[in-house]
Amino acid sequence: MSQRLQGIEEFVAAVEAGSFALAAQRLHVTRSAVAKSIARLEARLNTRLFLRTTRSQSLTEEGHGYYERCRRALAELDAAEAVTDTARSTVAGLVRISMPAMFGRLKVGPLLLALARRHPALSLELAFSDRRVDLVEEGLDLAIRSGELADTSELVARPVGVQWMVLCAAPAYLAERGHPRGIEALTASQTSHTPHEAVLYARDGQVSTWHFHGADGRLVDVTLPSRLRCDSAEVLLEAAIGGMGLARLPAWLAADALTAGTLVRVFEEPKPFGFELNVIRSRSRYLPFKTRVVIDWLAEHLPPLLAVP
């Protein structure tokens, strides 16, 4: 029976990842190992599963039919393993997670280290990156996303908190440039001779727009002139403390500066605005116990770290 299963995982991974190279990354083996496993599988079946060129690969008709059956068979095996996994209630094995770089380092990382200390058989592989990763292509179990999610049936999302935003500035900046007392005063400054300046988050050529909830509950977008735009919220924090302009920052990031008085809240908002945080995973027939424990831990312990000071 074990010989009949050889090569099937590599074959399914190659189909779903789109190439032998990406399948190798997902399985944490070499590309040649994937190619050899699939070649042996084709030899054993005495049929071609892939049509290969120097630039692409595609499934043969036989390959399509074989893939669907193999995918279902592996799902059944995964489900069988999940039964024993849950039954023994042991948090063991490797969980690979991607998360936003700074938020991951300062908030998520310490939480996951605490979880790992509680479960000595749990292994973690943490990737800190602000780019949108493909879970299947990169062999990830989970990713943490901030903001609106793409509408896809391939992913399952679990909310784990809200990244509340605060508008803040250095006291010296407000003393020099004036202190807007509400959203209306802020938007009015855009047409004045001396509008307020901002330090803005920008990434891949896209400058962020500030969002507020107005008194009527509707979203109000605000864009101010800026001499500083960058993709590091840490730099924006330092720039705001240095008096370079108003800053729209995550509450958890601004908390220490607000407590110390190096930054102050510009005004109280009628209704706080925030970006929902979700843990996403690929849709599958079951959720491994180790992965469920990680998700539940984040859902329990992240929200208190995100509160508005």
Side-chain angles (χ1 to χ4, degrees):
M1 176 64 72
S2 60
Q3 185 178 6
R4 295 181 64 187
L5 294 176
Q6 288 179 359
I8 289 179
E9 187 176 16
E10 291 84 351
F11 167 65
V12 170
V15 174
E16 294 179 346
S19 73
F20 288 3
L22 291 176
Q25 292 179 18
R26 178 179 176 183
L27 298 173
H28 290 262
V29 298
T30 64
R31 183 191 181 285
S32 62
V34 171
K36 289 176 182 177
S37 293
I38 293 175
R40 286 193 293 267
L41 178 62
E42 289 179 321
R44 191 171 77 243
L45 297 173
N46 194 28
T47 188
R48 294 186 67 184
L49 300 173
F50 286 105
L51 294 173
R52 304 178 185 86
T53 68
T54 56
R55 294 188 176 181
S56 66
Q57 67 181 39
S58 59
L59 286 172
T60 63
E61 183 177 350
E62 294 84 356
H64 275 289
Y66 191 65
Y67 163 71
E68 289 299 326
R69 288 168 174 78
C70 286
R71 182 180 60 81
R72 290 195 292 269
L74 288 179
E76 290 296 332
L77 288 172
D78 288 343
E81 291 179 1
V83 171
T84 59
D85 190 25
T86 303
R88 67 174 181 263
S89 297
T90 299
V91 185
L94 175 65
V95 179
R96 303 181 180 93
I97 314 169
S98 173
M99 64 200 76
M102 183 181 61
F103 179 66
R105 291 195 307 271
L106 298 181
K107 296 298 178 182
V108 183
L111 282 182
L112 293 177
L113 293 179
L115 179 63
R117 287 193 293 270
R118 290 168 62 99
H119 300 286
L122 175 66
S123 299
L124 297 172
E125 187 175 301
L126 310 182
F128 302 96
S129 174
D130 290 329
R131 65 184 179 85
R132 290 280 172 128
V133 298
D134 187 302
L135 274 67
V136 173
E137 284 190 1
E138 302 192 28
L140 294 165
D141 299 294
L142 302 170
I144 297 176
R145 296 267 174 87
S146 174
E148 188 175 352
L149 296 174
D151 185 13
T152 174
S153 61
E154 301 301 316
L155 299 174
V156 177
R158 168 86 176 271
V160 290
V162 177
Q163 189 165 228
W164 300 108
M165 306 300 290
V166 295
L167 182 67
C168 47
Y173 172 87
L174 295 175
E176 178 185 349
R177 301 293 294 271
H179 195 144
R181 297 298 177 179
I183 299 172
E184 296 78 9
L186 192 63
T187 55
S189 82
Q190 298 176 78
T191 57
S192 71
H193 295 296
T194 56
H196 278 283
E197 287 190 82
V199 292
L200 298 175
Y201 185 87
R203 183 166 170 263
D204 298 329
Q206 300 295 315
V207 181
S208 64
T209 298
W210 291 350
H211 304 293
F212 297 87
H213 287 293
D216 59 0
R218 296 182 182 180
L219 278 181
V220 178
D221 293 341
V222 175
T223 302
L224 295 177
S226 174
R227 293 190 295 126
L228 176 67
R229 297 173 291 277
C230 70
D231 63 358
S232 169
E234 290 168 294
V235 172
L236 297 181
L237 172 65
E238 292 303 317
I241 292 173
M244 288 190 65
L246 306 176
R248 189 75 162 146
L249 298 171
W252 60 265
L253 177 62
D256 289 345
L258 291 172
T259 300
T262 52
L263 289 178
V264 296
R265 295 279 294 275
V266 177
F267 51 75
E268 292 298 323
E269 299 178 30
K271 177 183 176 183
F273 176 85
F275 296 97
E276 189 172 77
L277 286 167
N278 287 277
V279 174
I280 62 169
R281 61 181 176 88
S282 298
R283 186 176 297 278
S284 61
R285 295 186 59 166
Y286 88 103
L287 179 63
F289 185 63
K290 60 183 179 181
T291 310
R292 183 185 303 116
V293 167
V294 171
I295 295 173
D296 289 345
W297 180 263
L298 293 174
E300 178 183 356
H301 293 282
L302 261 183
L305 302 180
L306 304 173
V308 178

